[in-house]
Amino acid sequence: MGRFSKRVGSFDSPHSVEDTLQVLFNGVAEQLSTPSPTVSAPGVEAAIYLSRFDTSGITVTAGNKIETYFAFSVDLTPTAGGCTGEAYFDRRMGAISRWMGNAIGLTGGLSLVFQRCSVRTRGWTIA
């Protein structure tokens, strides 16, 4: 998997979708240009911002109005015991040419916060 896949991994959260969204935000906040759980659009200057943050999941996008460097998404599905999630990039890791460190930081940050919040990962890759 790794550099040749868009998929990062999946997870099972014992928390509600709403609480898991907060876990997700905490895991990606350090990589955001403006660490706020507010959805925004690309600007003239390149930034890393939330382009989706709702009960369906979260998408972190890097780029500006002209170019998207990458988009990282986590889709959530409610379950009887909490929710499940799938994390993936819009392109394989090897195709991310700008801000690769931030892309790795997103997956690594989520991995760390998942451990602190008793969220179990399956097949999680950081790079």
Side-chain angles (χ1 to χ4, degrees):
M1 204 181 289
R3 294 178 57 82
F4 302 106
S5 175
K6 296 177 184 180
R7 187 176 185 277
V8 173
S10 57
F11 60 89
D12 295 304
S13 174
H15 310 288
S16 68
V17 167
E18 292 76 13
D19 286 347
T20 301
L21 274 171
Q22 189 59 51
V23 169
L24 293 174
F25 176 75
N26 291 344
V28 302
E30 190 173 292
Q31 299 302 320
L32 299 175
S33 297
T34 303
S36 167
T38 306
V39 172
S40 59
V44 173
E45 185 177 336
I48 299 178
Y49 57 94
L50 288 178
S51 54
R52 174 178 61 133
F53 188 68
D54 60 30
T55 56
S56 71
I58 187 172
T59 299
V60 176
T61 303
N64 58 34
K65 285 184 173 186
I66 306 302
E67 188 176 2
T68 299
Y69 305 154
F70 65 82
F72 174 68
S73 298
V74 181
D75 297 333
L76 295 175
T77 304
T79 62
C83 63
T84 63
E86 291 285 331
Y88 54 93
F89 283 95
D90 65 336
R91 62 199 76 191
R92 60 184 178 76
M93 286 293 265
I96 297 174
S97 59
R98 291 197 180 162
W99 298 1
M100 171 63 96
N102 296 92
I104 294 169
L106 288 166
T107 60
L110 278 179
S111 180
L112 291 173
V113 78
F114 283 167
Q115 290 173 22
R116 293 193 305 262
C117 297
S118 302
V119 174
R120 292 185 327 273
T121 59
R122 295 186 309 275
W124 198 265
T125 57
I126 292 178

